[in-house]
Amino acid sequence: MLSKNYPEHDINKVFDMFEEVINKGGVSEKTGAELTLINKLFAAMPPEASEYAMMMLHGTPASTLPGSTKEIMPLYVRFMNLADYLTKVESLREVPASLTKNEIMERHKMMDSLGEHEKAFGEPLLGYGINTEGQAAPAKSSDGNNEEEGGSGLHLMNQAAIVFGCVDPVKTALFYETKLGFKAAHLDDEKMPHIRLVRDNIVIALVKSPVRMALPSMYDLIIYVTEPLLLYHEVKANGVKIIEELPDARESEKAKTNRQFVIEDNDGRKICISQSTEIV
């Protein structure tokens, strides 16, 4: 069905073309959110992930792509589903002056097929969805349960923060901001002055200490994530030291332990990024 003259390598141009079709109207109300989610996820991937998507757009079968694409194949499927959907929408906008009986039947068949494409729109992808602010965020559980919305009583505990003792809290805060995407707030007016680091649902408090406080365990911090691959590529691109690599999908299927990778911060702390078995 894909007949549009898409560029060979520029996926951003393709997304611009998708948006142009959507802006003309006549599409599902969830189409824009679907485009945003796919765009955000590709932006978090290494460049070769987008190149493989462009190859599929130009007819390369998924079965011929490298094995490394297996774990993100749902992203390619949704990308192609959206492309096919928008191609059909554009085709249906062009109504010839006269139609044969077969052409009328083909148009009806094409219109009926739009609903199948739209079923995927808005559904979680690689553990992520679009939140109310239009941003990609970890998806809720499949049954719609959410602790903040579905609880029967008042929530007297909202968040917890691990405390890191640092020789130079400002330097450590800079590492977490520039390398790991945290936002820092310098709370000097607190009873215990500290720097508060926040990203998603993770909170870390940095305090001044003569020596780095070490914990008697393999890791100083464990961060649970829905899909470690996205965060892995982000921190690797930022030059963060990775001391335990993320195994690929095929290795993980045979492994008895959880899928994870381990990084080291500027103070030498070992931070484990572990795949959560539950979607929160």
Side-chain angles (χ1 to χ4, degrees):
M1 185 63 208
L2 295 175
S3 57
K4 202 173 184 71
N5 186 25
Y6 291 111
E8 290 190 10
H9 303 288
D10 191 349
I11 196 169
N12 291 320
K13 179 63 176 176
V14 172
F15 288 135
D16 288 342
M17 296 168 75
F18 285 176
E19 186 173 15
E20 185 178 343
V21 177
I22 294 171
N23 289 340
K24 290 180 181 178
V27 298
S28 164
E29 61 181 12
K30 294 182 178 180
T31 311
E34 179 77 356
L35 173 61
T36 298
L37 178 59
I38 293 172
N39 193 343
K40 296 287 186 182
L41 291 177
F42 270 118
M45 300 285 179
E48 54 265 29
S50 296
E51 190 60 30
Y52 294 141
M54 296 301 293
M55 290 169 61
M56 287 188 66
L57 195 63
H58 287 281
T60 299
S63 59
T64 64
L65 296 180
S68 59
T69 62
K70 179 182 177 182
E71 56 191 312
I72 59 170
M73 189 54 65
L75 175 57
Y76 293 123
V77 172
R78 290 275 284 273
F79 174 71
M80 294 300 297
N81 178 69
L82 180 60
D84 196 11
Y85 173 78
L86 294 177
T87 299
K88 291 179 178 180
V89 168
E90 273 204 308
S91 178
L92 289 169
R93 285 192 185 127
E94 300 174 2
V95 183
S98 60
L99 292 169
T100 65
K101 183 177 180 180
N102 286 339
E103 287 173 337
I104 293 173
M105 292 178 64
E106 283 299 315
R107 287 180 67 86
H108 277 296
K109 183 178 179 182
M110 191 183 300
M111 291 178 65
D112 291 340
S113 71
L114 294 181
E116 288 300 312
H117 292 285
E118 293 168 356
K119 285 181 179 179
F121 295 176
E123 291 299 309
L125 179 56
L126 298 182
Y128 285 78
I130 294 295
N131 61 22
T132 54
E133 288 76 34
Q135 300 295 321
K140 295 180 181 179
S141 59
S142 58
D143 60 6
N145 289 337
N146 181 276
E147 285 294 326
E148 293 183 359
E149 297 174 356
S152 57
L154 293 175
H155 291 266
L156 301 180
M157 296 185 182
N158 297 321
Q159 274 182 327
I162 189 171
V163 179
F164 284 166
C166 312
V167 176
D168 188 344
V170 174
K171 182 178 179 181
T172 300
L174 186 62
F175 174 88
Y176 279 81
E177 282 189 288
T178 60
K179 302 295 186 181
L180 300 181
F182 281 78
K183 298 296 183 183
H186 295 248
L187 305 176
D188 297 326
D189 56 345
E190 295 280 333
K191 192 167 186 178
M192 181 185 75
H194 65 280
I195 298 175
R196 186 173 187 261
L197 300 171
V198 179
R199 175 171 177 176
D200 301 326
N201 296 320
I202 305 298
V203 182
I204 302 172
L206 306 180
V207 298
K208 182 76 174 178
S209 174
V211 293
R212 180 179 80 81
M213 294 189 298
L215 300 175
S217 64
M218 292 179 64
Y219 314 117
D220 295 276
L221 174 66
I222 299 175
I223 297 177
Y224 293 102
V225 298
T226 303
E227 176 48 64
L229 181 70
L230 301 181
L231 189 55
Y232 173 82
H233 286 304
E234 178 184 320
V235 301
K236 187 173 183 179
N238 288 337
V240 176
K241 182 178 180 181
I242 298 176
I243 58 178
E244 181 184 318
E245 290 286 338
L246 177 69
D248 64 29
R250 291 178 180 176
E251 290 179 9
S252 298
E253 290 174 359
K254 302 175 184 177
K256 296 181 180 179
T257 56
N258 200 24
R259 188 167 183 237
Q260 65 180 44
F261 67 99
V262 182
I263 64 176
E264 186 176 282
D265 75 4
N266 65 305
D267 290 328
R269 294 185 188 84
K270 294 177 175 59
I271 301 172
C272 175
I273 313 296
S274 178
Q275 184 168 25
S276 175
T277 56
E278 300 179 358
I279 297 177
V280 294

